[in-house]
Amino acid sequence: MKDNFLNYNNYVSVDCVVLGYNEVENKLQVLLIKQKGPAPNTAELFKPQYAIPGDLIKEEESLDEAAARILEDLVNVKGLFLEQFYTFGHPDRVKDPKDADWLSTRRKDPLARVITVAYLALVRIDQINPSAGYFAEQTTWRSIKKIPKLAFDHNTIVSKALDIIRAHPEQHLVGRELLPNKFTLSQLQNLYEVIQNKELDKRNFRKSIKNNEYLITLDEKQKGVLHKPAQYYAFKKLKK
Amino acid sequence: MKDNFLNYNNYVSVDCVVLGYNEVENKLQVLLIKQKGPAPNTAELFKPQYAIPGDLIKEEESLDEAAARILEDLVNVKGLFLEQFYTFGHPDRVKDPKDADWLSTRRKDPLARVITVAYLALVRIDQINPSAGYFAEQTTWRSIKKIPKLAFDHNTIVSKALDIIRAHPEQHLVGRELLPNKFTLSQLQNLYEVIQNKELDKRNFRKSIKNNEYLITLDEKQKGVLHKPAQYYAFKKLKK
DNA sequence: ATACTTATTGTATTTTGTACAATAAGTGAT
DNA sequence: ATCACTTATTGTACAAAATACAATAAGTAT
């Protein structure tokens, strides 16, 4: 529970759509939290909902910093790819009765309108260790194909994030964020296939990807696999 | 001057980058306002700045509605193409001393941090009639190549708008908004050239543009011109 | 040596982008 | 009627990129 409301701007929040890639199952999932109820003695009246991680911004932080802070608090990982993608500001977006209980325990002014700036983050599921923070009972990964009903307008926010990453996968440096430091071209192809939700031809995929200026061939192959070992590749470091 | 502050959310604003196309001179311009000073007897102390039109949002309106209202108040035109493109929220974005005077006369809490959601609008300059509203002394069009120093972080906002329209002119339905209902391919080409700031080959431009599913050939040609009359074209109506 | 599994590669075709200049259809002057 | 003038319109050759499609290679296990 927050100690006080003083450091927070009560009218603007940041919500983060964290997309996680499970390489083994080749699945894209979204990180959800389950809301934590109010004080224990009234807990039986509270119906927790799933939501994406988000919080009011603090007065002294920028939006980008707020997004990073929220992810760090919840996901316990720094340095993630993080990008603002849209701001949601319908006057009634926090006025649904289903959300009133939660707001009443978390907000200085539970009826206040809140505009939320939405961010997109990409992570490898095996790389992070989500742990429930003060605003969550638990965290969970859910397939982007089976997203439950979420608090507030979070279903809308997640949908918009998926639209955006599908429209511009390269721009979003998907491979860099969602694959290990060294990877095979088959791994890269699997990732592109799950994001675009369609199969790609191996030969054509390799032809096009090898024009990518950020891809470098390593001096290393797979070992111990029951088939021809694949070449490892990596991404060049980005200049800051 | 605003009658009261009650209907306004004092922490979130909408700013509009209005890009105007002057077909005769083939120039892109941005619509600026000159800030109006405070009460007349103190006016000599006030240094008005140029700014893009923007205002605090009202509590009962959505962000899209706020953008439309602001444009309507200032530009006196409805139904413009209007698109949210980024939200600016640096904690100090309204804390520059140069902006303190203006804020002190316009805001309930002049020191409050304001997050602004930025919108992009495209208009034909000859189609609208900007008139100074309560928040402006005058309005003016300025070439995108010579933008003066603006209030707050408005230079940054305008730059980002230009980046976006240049990256995706088709997506932004540039032609539809910036040309008359019927137009020639030369007019369309001139527009694309001024947006991209480079010359295009006539034959290749026509080849590529004729794949555009929204372009239809009309049964009408130019009349009375001192040269071969050009075919008129139009855009298909968009489905809502 | 063989079976098994995934990695790797080439070729023909189509589509798209690019560079480049001659002809067409009006008007106004003679 | 002819000519000068201005902008509109169009084609061709070439390069680059996207697409469809299947055989061979390099390991491991038996």
Side-chain angles (χ1 to χ4, degrees):
Chain A
M1 177 86 74
K2 287 175 191 174
D3 344 21
N4 64 66
F5 296 109
L6 286 180
N7 297 325
Y8 289 87
N9 179 316
N10 286 273
Y11 308 97
V12 180
S13 64
V14 164
D15 283 306
C16 298
V17 178
V18 181
L19 294 179
Y21 177 54
N22 178 333
E23 202 188 312
V24 179
E25 301 182 45
N26 202 32
K27 276 163 63 172
L28 260 194
Q29 300 182 289
V30 60
L31 181 61
L32 301 179
I33 62 174
K34 192 163 191 177
Q35 294 172 335
K36 189 186 284 188
N41 55 334
T42 58
E44 68 268 20
L45 299 172
F46 178 76
K47 292 184 184 173
Q49 300 177 80
Y50 289 106
I52 58 175
D55 194 13
L56 295 175
I57 63 172
K58 292 186 178 180
E59 279 297 359
E60 71 279 7
E61 72 189 355
S62 71
L63 300 174
D64 288 357
E65 287 164 356
R69 168 180 61 83
I70 289 165
L71 279 193
E72 217 180 305
D73 282 359
L74 188 82
V75 173
N76 212 26
V77 177
K78 300 184 184 187
L80 289 189
F81 173 83
L82 202 47
E83 188 184 38
Q84 187 198 122
F85 69 92
Y86 202 74
T87 296
F88 298 83
H90 193 281
D92 298 331
R93 61 173 291 280
V94 299
K95 304 290 175 65
D96 192 305
K98 79 185 196 302
D99 298 309
D101 270 4
W102 189 85
L103 288 168
S104 70
T105 67
R106 301 287 161 182
R107 295 287 155 85
K108 182 182 173 187
D109 179 2
L111 298 179
R113 175 182 182 184
V114 178
I115 280 84
T116 198
V117 184
Y119 278 73
L120 174 61
L122 302 175
V123 297
R124 276 183 285 151
I125 285 181
D126 62 12
Q127 193 189 30
I128 67 172
N129 187 18
S131 57
Y134 59 82
F135 44 94
E137 185 72 50
Q138 54 175 259
T139 67
T140 175
W141 291 103
R142 291 298 181 92
S143 166
I144 57 169
K145 296 183 178 178
K146 287 184 294 184
I147 298 172
K149 187 155 194 286
L150 303 177
F152 310 113
D153 55 354
H154 287 188
N155 287 96
T156 306
I157 296 175
V158 172
S159 291
K160 186 128 187 164
L162 291 172
D163 289 347
I164 285 174
I165 194 178
R166 283 178 175 142
H168 305 289
E170 6 32 84
Q171 279 183 31
H172 291 268
L173 297 174
V174 158
R176 188 181 299 275
E177 301 303 325
L178 299 186
L179 290 176
N181 287 336
K182 61 183 185 185
F183 53 86
T184 69
L185 294 184
S186 294
Q187 286 177 293
L188 186 59
Q189 180 171 353
N190 284 337
L191 173 59
Y192 271 74
E193 286 179 340
V194 74
I195 289 172
Q196 293 176 32
N197 199 27
K198 68 175 179 183
E199 296 198 347
L200 303 171
D201 179 84
K202 284 186 184 187
R203 285 158 293 193
N204 296 338
F205 176 78
R206 280 156 192 253
K207 249 182 291 186
S208 64
I209 208 69
K210 284 191 174 176
N211 293 330
N212 188 312
E213 56 175 329
Y214 293 110
L215 196 63
I216 52 182
T217 308
L218 298 179
D219 254 349
E220 194 182 348
K221 285 182 181 179
Q222 279 181 326
K223 284 180 186 167
V225 289
L226 297 183
H227 52 80
K228 176 173 176 178
Q231 183 68 238
Y232 279 122
Y233 293 80
F235 286 107
K236 280 184 195 161
K237 301 281 182 209
L238 287 177
K239 293 171 188 169
K240 277 262 176 172
Chain B
M1 177 87 73
K2 286 176 192 175
D3 344 20
N4 63 67
F5 298 108
L6 288 179
N7 297 324
Y8 289 86
N9 178 317
N10 286 273
Y11 308 98
V12 179
S13 65
V14 164
D15 283 307
C16 298
V17 178
V18 181
L19 293 179
Y21 177 54
N22 177 332
E23 202 188 314
V24 178
E25 301 182 44
N26 202 33
K27 276 163 58 171
L28 259 194
Q29 300 182 289
V30 61
L31 181 61
L32 301 179
I33 63 174
K34 192 164 190 175
Q35 293 172 337
K36 189 186 283 187
N41 56 333
T42 59
E44 68 266 21
L45 299 172
F46 178 76
K47 291 183 183 173
Q49 301 177 78
Y50 288 105
I52 57 175
D55 195 13
L56 295 175
I57 64 172
K58 292 187 178 180
E59 278 297 0
E60 72 280 6
E61 72 190 354
S62 70
L63 300 173
D64 288 357
E65 287 163 358
R69 167 178 63 81
I70 289 165
L71 279 192
E72 216 181 306
D73 283 357
L74 187 83
V75 174
N76 211 26
V77 177
K78 300 184 184 187
L80 290 189
F81 173 83
L82 202 47
E83 188 184 38
Q84 188 198 121
F85 69 91
Y86 201 73
T87 297
F88 298 83
H90 193 282
D92 299 330
R93 61 172 293 279
V94 300
K95 303 289 175 66
D96 192 306
K98 79 184 196 301
D99 298 309
D101 270 6
W102 189 86
L103 288 168
S104 70
T105 67
R106 301 287 161 182
R107 294 289 155 84
K108 182 181 176 187
D109 179 1
L111 298 178
R113 175 183 183 182
V114 178
I115 280 86
T116 198
V117 184
Y119 278 74
L120 174 62
L122 301 175
V123 296
R124 276 182 286 152
I125 285 180
D126 62 11
Q127 194 190 30
I128 66 172
N129 187 19
S131 56
Y134 58 83
F135 43 94
E137 184 72 49
Q138 55 176 260
T139 67
T140 176
W141 291 103
R142 291 299 181 93
S143 165
I144 57 169
K145 296 182 180 178
K146 287 184 296 184
I147 298 173
K149 187 153 195 288
L150 303 177
F152 310 114
D153 55 353
H154 288 189
N155 288 94
T156 305
I157 296 175
V158 172
S159 292
K160 185 128 187 164
L162 290 173
D163 289 348
I164 284 174
I165 194 178
R166 283 180 174 139
H168 305 290
E170 356 48 69
Q171 279 182 32
H172 290 269
L173 297 174
V174 158
R176 188 181 300 276
E177 301 302 325
L178 298 186
L179 290 175
N181 287 336
K182 60 183 185 186
F183 54 86
T184 69
L185 294 185
S186 295
Q187 287 177 293
L188 186 59
Q189 181 172 351
N190 284 338
L191 173 59
Y192 271 74
E193 286 179 340
V194 73
I195 289 173
Q196 292 176 34
N197 198 28
K198 67 175 179 183
E199 296 198 347
L200 303 172
D201 180 84
K202 284 185 183 186
R203 285 160 291 192
N204 296 338
F205 176 78
R206 281 157 190 253
K207 248 183 291 185
S208 64
I209 207 67
K210 284 190 173 174
N211 292 330
N212 188 311
E213 57 175 327
Y214 293 111
L215 196 64
I216 53 181
T217 309
L218 298 179
D219 254 348
E220 193 181 350
K221 287 181 181 181
Q222 278 181 325
K223 284 180 185 165
V225 288
L226 298 183
H227 53 79
K228 175 172 175 177
Q231 183 68 238
Y232 279 123
Y233 292 80
F235 285 106
K236 281 185 196 162
K237 301 281 183 209
L238 287 178
K239 293 171 188 169
K240 279 264 178 174

